[in-house]
Amino acid sequence: MNKNIKIQGMSCAGCAKRLQDEMSLQKGITNANVNFANETLYIEYDAQLNMNDLFKTIEKLGFKAIEENQNKEVIIGIGGMSCTSCAQGIEKQLVKKDGIEKVEVNFATEKAKIIYNNKIRLSNIKNEIENMGYKILEESIEEKEDFKEKEIKTMLKKVIFSAIFGIPLLFIAMAPMIKGLDILVPNIINVNTNPLNYAIIQLILTIPIMLIGYKFYTVGFKLFFKGKPNMDSLIAISTTAAFLYSLYNTINVIKGNHHLAHSLYYETVGMIIVLILLGKYLENISKGKTSDAIKKLMGLAPKYATVLINDKEEKISIDEVMIDDIVVVKPGEKVAVDGIVVEGETYIDEAMLTGESIPVHKFKDSQVFAGSINKNGYIKFKATKTSKDTTLANIIKIVEDAQVTKAPIAKIADIVSGYFVPVVCIIAIVASLLWYFVNRDLEFSLKIFVSVLVIACPCALGLATPTAIMVGTGKGAENGILIKSGEALETAYKLDTIILDKTGTITEGKPIVTDIICKDIDENELIKLVASAEKMSEHPLGEAIVKDALEKNITLYDDIQDFEAKVGFGIKAKINNKNIFIGNEKLLTNFNISLENIEEKATALANEGKTPMYVGIDNEIKGIVAVADPIKPTSKEAIQKLSNMGLNIFMITGDNKKTANAIAKQINIQNVFAEVLPVDKANYVEQLKNEGKKVAMVGDGINDAPALAKSDLGIAIGSGTDIAIESADIVLIKNDLNGVSNAISLSKKTITNIKQNLFWAFIYNIIGIPVACGVLYIFGGPLLNPMIGAMAMSLSSISVLLNALRLRKFKQ
């Protein structure tokens, strides 16, 4: 079992690493991953896990956990209650209804909190309350804002208010030292003429800034004293040290030691907080953009649907649409949920699902999908999925799940992030003590201490991988490429070999009868016998023969006896007391049926890329039925693109070697595995892996599922079966092999982006921390100002995020 849990309160990658380590130790959790970028904990667990204990543990660690609930929750205003008995009566009445899980009615606030499932509509709940004699109070407030948007707005307010105090503070502190600006400082707060006022006004301006950034201190010190410091701890320790030193000097200025007014660092404290808040604000905006793809996908689904209830059109919430409801879609409207057309005809734009810009013709019994747009006609369709289970909802879930996973390349960053903050604290202490012993200058040592703490940036390391994966997987979804995990992205980057299944992947998967060769038998009778036997089979080639017979208005035999399918060979059956054998050469020779001169004709057909099926009746060969599966128009171009990427390409098929080689020649594939039984496909994948190759398997059928699972990377064509899609690491929604090269290209760009992010994150800290320690100063260079360090720290995270956002420019 697995679960995604939203986490609030993480301020850096160190928090994410600490939470991940703690979760991995919990009884019942088999795997835990924390994604700092989208603030999600992903766990795989067994029956031993106590979910209540897990949430308590998360809270003890200083975070807040929000569980995703499958049931729906609503708050309804209720008027007309005169006492608490009314509230209790409503609770008792509603909880009896099938589909209502829990009801809590608050008499004082006149509100009911109701948890319900898909067995009941929200409108039915409201009707039930009104039938009891109460009134539903509709709230006319705007739709609630998403948590992230609120957080960004709150952060912006903090930036603005802190800057209102911070900018004057910086001016008062620095202007006297800059020629030309010193004359702008009023005499009443000039350090040279009124040092006491100069110190007091800075103290007054600094305190509000520290109060605005209070979370740095409440969270930072709490974790520091628990022995698990994070980025907040670095800011809290550094600014507190500078503030206490300045406060001590201010007290001495009050006592008459006016020269100490030149030894104040209030502006450093204030501006560090202002700049960190500004950095966090810009970081949150950038992080929000990394999930734009998810927001776009979520925005595709309409909020309301028009449903026929008692033969009348009623507009209801999309969440209230149930399976088998008849939904009406008018021109220009979006399809609300997945379903089957029962009336009408139209063209529907499915570009949001497939990336295909040409609208698709829909008529009776056609499938329609949530979020697609009805272009011109009027249709009615029967809902086959609820809003939570549509293809669009599944796409969103796949992308969300992918975004909480980690690529193996992230391990090094995780390891470093786990030790980063404690190590930085030690470096800051050691560096400041060394400088104090060298020059006996407490102010100088304090500046070193503060600079090291504020320039160190664990956030850049923590954001390097997940942000790129979020943008990459989101961009993939926009282009019909569903990447299920960060590991799949990295594996695609490393591929050197691709195995392509033929039927349904390279070809259309819809075979047609091309040739019928008869020997001492009427053609219609031959087809009648073969089609009658093949109607018992589920093989695509057999279905093509049955379809051909029906199109020719040939009536098939009903009495089929002793039917037996020989996997990889063909079928045998008894019709009208005749033993019928249909299949390849091996099948007929096993039953001692001589192929005589007809074998040459079969060879000729196979050389044309057709699949010849011998037909034996009793002990004699009676003919050949040739079937061909047309190659998709885009397959040759797609295979050329893969070849240009330097990949070794193999085709795998159950066809005989001659047919397989003929098809391979048409699409320029040199390596062919032919006459492969379905159960053996996985063995060929294993064979190539044992040769040291990084192998991807591309397929679409049930028969491909074991090979997809066995390969390093399984890629399923979206038109394939659910089993194949479930077994795959990447799903291509559009039935086009070009998606394979697009997926690999996207993975290469994403992993390259991650490497760039990691490089800049590491190089920033590798250079920044020694500079803050005063290495340049030793050789006559400048000493880093702590405010510059704070700005650099903020910019390092933002630069990583902006680099990840470049992936949004990816084009197929």
Side-chain angles (χ1 to χ4, degrees), residues 472-768:
T473 52
K475 197 64 186 174
E478 286 180 15
N479 289 282
I481 303 165
L482 302 185
I483 301 163
K484 291 188 176 180
S485 67
E487 187 174 358
L489 260 177
E490 186 166 343
T491 303
Y493 171 82
K494 297 176 180 177
L495 291 176
D496 55 35
T497 302
I498 301 270
I499 301 177
L500 303 173
D501 178 58
K502 179 184 77 71
T503 305
T505 303
I506 294 173
T507 64
E508 296 284 3
K510 299 174 182 177
I512 56 172
V513 175
T514 58
D515 300 87
I516 301 170
I517 297 171
C518 302
K519 184 179 180 184
D520 302 327
I521 188 172
D522 179 70
E523 182 177 307
N524 280 355
E525 179 61 20
L526 180 73
I527 285 293
K528 186 173 183 176
L529 287 167
V530 174
S532 298
E534 288 287 4
K535 74 179 181 181
M536 306 290 290
S537 167
E538 295 180 354
H539 197 284
L541 301 184
E543 289 176 3
I545 296 170
V546 173
K547 182 181 178 183
D548 183 72
L550 295 176
E551 287 174 352
K552 292 175 179 176
N553 296 318
I554 296 173
T555 304
L556 305 184
Y557 292 110
D558 292 324
D559 187 20
I560 315 299
Q561 300 175 335
D562 302 333
F563 177 84
E564 189 177 348
K566 305 281 187 180
V567 180
F569 296 91
I571 63 171
K572 66 180 287 288
K574 181 175 278 190
I575 303 173
N576 291 348
N577 293 320
K578 295 176 181 178
N579 292 312
I580 311 297
F581 305 91
I582 308 163
N584 57 24
E585 180 184 351
K586 292 177 183 177
L587 177 74
L588 274 73
T589 53
N590 283 348
F591 287 96
N592 300 315
I593 298 175
S594 173
L595 301 182
E596 299 179 8
N597 297 330
I598 205 167
E599 192 172 4
E600 293 177 7
K601 295 179 181 178
T603 300
L605 290 168
N607 288 335
E608 295 172 11
K610 301 169 182 176
T611 301
M613 289 185 285
Y614 293 103
V615 181
I617 300 177
D618 291 331
N619 296 319
E620 293 182 30
I621 184 73
K622 289 294 182 181
I624 296 173
V625 178
V627 176
D629 186 3
I631 295 169
K632 291 177 186 175
T634 56
S635 290
K636 186 174 181 179
E637 174 197 4
I639 289 163
Q640 186 60 50
K641 287 180 183 176
L642 292 171
S643 182
N644 292 343
M645 287 181 171
L647 296 163
N648 296 313
I649 304 168
F650 290 77
M651 184 180 81
I652 192 164
T653 178
D655 281 346
N656 65 67
K657 290 181 180 178
K658 291 186 177 70
T659 301
N661 287 329
I663 293 170
K665 187 176 181 181
Q666 293 177 45
I667 51 178
N668 297 328
I669 290 181
Q670 310 301 320
N671 308 302
V672 179
F673 295 132
E675 300 179 9
V676 178
L677 297 177
V679 294
D680 290 333
K681 286 184 179 180
N683 295 336
Y684 283 88
V685 172
E686 189 69 25
Q687 176 185 315
L688 290 173
K689 286 175 67 178
N690 290 338
E691 292 173 11
K693 293 180 169 64
K694 206 74 174 173
V695 182
M697 172 71 193
V698 185
D700 78 322
I702 292 174
N703 293 336
D704 301 323
L708 289 169
K710 179 70 75 173
S711 62
D712 293 303
L713 185 78
I715 303 176
I717 297 288
S719 62
T721 66
D722 289 339
I723 294 175
I725 291 171
E726 189 66 31
S727 305
D729 303 297
I730 295 177
V731 178
L732 307 177
I733 297 174
K734 191 176 177 183
N735 192 6
D736 186 345
L737 264 183
N738 276 307
V740 178
S741 58
N742 289 330
I744 294 171
S745 177
L746 178 61
S747 83
K748 288 182 182 293
K749 289 182 184 298
T750 304
I751 298 302
T752 299
N753 191 280
I754 288 172
K755 289 181 176 180
Q756 291 168 350
N757 284 347
L758 287 172
F759 171 80
W760 289 115
F762 275 112
I763 206 72
Y764 162 81
N765 284 296
I766 288 169
I767 294 173

